[in-house]
């Protein structure tokens, strides 16, 4: 299965016709530079320049609540949101999920089976590199292209689409817990750097106890709440970073005090 887009009113369909191995649609976009001489990546929190998109890890014990907040956080400040949903055709979509609620533009809605998930593809990078590289490319460009070609296939597809000029954009990965073993912590830094370097904010939603690699994200947020239906009793805890004004690390805020979250949650419960 190479990739697929689906309309929110349809169940998950069969895979699209796969592209030729090692090929991507056009030249990869500009992605983050490789590590400097000290081995640090400019995409890491300590090296990120002003205005560079960040990464967010959002987790909790209610899948519906996490997914609605993931959508709300991705929409906050971004005109375009690509929604990458990790699930199989056998797994039902919760009634209060952003896809079931019709909030996601079908042109920006992607699905991937957990068996394939977000695993990098290092075996394809070398072969594909020869198809896009010029002989006079500097080493820094080669490093960026290699990192891009090692990205998961779905993220490559999204990043290769022409952007709207100057429009902030984000990739929201929903239900990442379903692919818990697919992306060990060691594979995350190149993914985070390449996505940020291409001009996208990356937000990942996770249901259940979080993995150890969450510290690699610029921002880590936990939502404590039982369900969307009881969202007024839920709180949001910022474990790392400063995702929104007035929410530095260590902040605990009731969800009703966060306007962007409260608006999305009211819309969801109005659909009941």
């Amino acid at each position: 299965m190479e990739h697929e887009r689906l309309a929110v009113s349809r169940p998950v369909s069969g895979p699209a016709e796969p592209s030729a191995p090692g090929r991507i649609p056009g030249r990869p976009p500009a992605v983050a530079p490789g590590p400097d001489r000290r081995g640090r990546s400019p995409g890491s929190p300590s090296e990120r320049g002003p205005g560079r998109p960040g990464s967010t890890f959002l987790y909790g014990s209610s899948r519906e609540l996490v997914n609605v907040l993931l959508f709300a956080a991705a929409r906050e400040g971004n005109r375009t949101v690509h929604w990458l949903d990790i699930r199989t055709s056998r797994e039902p979509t919760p009634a209060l999920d952003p896809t079931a609620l019709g909030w996601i533009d079908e042109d920006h809605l992607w699905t991937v089976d957990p068996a394939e998930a977000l695993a990098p593809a290092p075996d394809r990078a070398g072969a594909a590199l020869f198809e896009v590289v010029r002989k006079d490319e500097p080493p820094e460009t080669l490093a960026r292209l290699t990192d891009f070609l090692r990205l998961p296939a779905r993220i490559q597809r999204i990043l290769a689409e022409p952007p709207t000029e100057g429009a902030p954009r984000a990739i929201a990965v929903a239900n990442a817990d379903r692919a818990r073993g697919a992306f060990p912590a060691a594979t995350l830094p190149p993914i985070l750097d390449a996505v940020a370097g291409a001009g996208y904010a990356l937000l990942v939603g996770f249901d259940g106890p979080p993995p150890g690699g969450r510290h690699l994200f610029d921002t880590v947020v936990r939502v404590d709440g039982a369900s969307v239906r009881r969202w007024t009793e839920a709180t949001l805890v910022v474990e790392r970073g400063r995702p929104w004004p007035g929410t530095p690390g260590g902040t605990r805020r009731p969800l009703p005090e966060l306007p962007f979250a409260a608006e999305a949650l009211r819309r969801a419960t109005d659909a009941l």
Side-chain angles (χ1 to χ4, degrees):
M1 179 184 298
E2 178 61 24
H3 82 291
E4 60 182 335
R5 292 177 181 171
L6 63 157
V8 295
S9 59
R10 300 199 306 268
V12 177
S13 58
E17 186 68 24
S19 61
R23 293 192 64 85
I24 58 175
R27 187 177 181 79
V31 293
D36 64 16
R37 294 179 182 177
R38 290 166 291 181
R40 296 182 306 182
S41 170
S44 64
S46 62
E47 298 290 313
R48 179 165 290 108
R52 183 182 176 86
S55 57
T56 299
F57 187 90
L58 171 64
Y59 74 101
S61 57
S62 166
R63 187 178 303 279
E64 284 186 341
L65 191 54
V66 167
N67 284 349
V68 170
L69 283 176
L70 182 68
F71 173 83
R75 286 290 299 173
E76 180 74 356
N78 293 295
R79 182 183 302 178
T80 300
V81 175
H82 286 271
W83 187 266
L84 185 59
D85 190 1
I86 300 178
R87 63 184 174 93
T88 70
S89 58
R90 299 181 302 277
E91 289 172 307
T93 302
L96 297 183
D97 188 88
T99 57
L101 292 167
W103 292 356
I104 314 295
D105 185 335
E106 66 178 65
D107 289 335
H108 298 144
L109 181 58
W110 307 71
T111 187
V112 58
D113 191 282
E116 298 177 13
L118 303 177
D123 56 317
R124 296 175 54 190
L129 189 60
F130 289 106
E131 300 185 15
V132 297
V133 73
R134 296 191 303 263
K135 291 183 179 180
D136 60 346
E137 298 278 17
E140 295 81 5
T141 300
L142 294 178
R144 293 198 301 268
L145 291 175
T146 300
D147 282 347
F148 176 86
L149 292 165
R150 284 176 175 160
L151 286 173
R154 277 74 177 172
I155 296 207
Q156 284 190 30
R157 291 279 182 174
I158 294 171
L159 298 186
E161 292 195 348
T164 302
E165 187 66 27
R169 49 213 168 127
I171 299 173
V173 180
N175 308 310
D177 55 284
R178 291 173 174 163
R180 176 183 287 269
F183 47 101
T187 70
L188 284 176
I191 293 176
L192 298 178
D193 285 351
V195 172
Y200 281 84
L202 178 66
L203 300 93
V204 173
F206 201 94
D207 178 42
R214 70 185 184 280
H215 69 278
L216 297 170
F217 289 77
D218 302 310
T219 299
V220 179
V221 179
R222 184 181 80 244
V223 55
D224 293 334
S227 68
V228 170
R229 293 164 177 79
R230 298 176 60 184
W231 71 271
T232 55
E233 305 169 13
T235 58
L236 185 140
V237 180
V238 180
E239 296 183 355
R240 175 185 175 90
R242 183 188 292 268
W244 308 286
T247 57
T251 298
R252 177 184 288 271
R253 295 280 296 278
L255 289 185
E257 293 183 4
L258 297 170
F260 75 95
E263 179 184 0
L265 288 159
R266 287 193 188 99
R267 286 177 60 196
T269 52
D270 286 346
L272 292 173

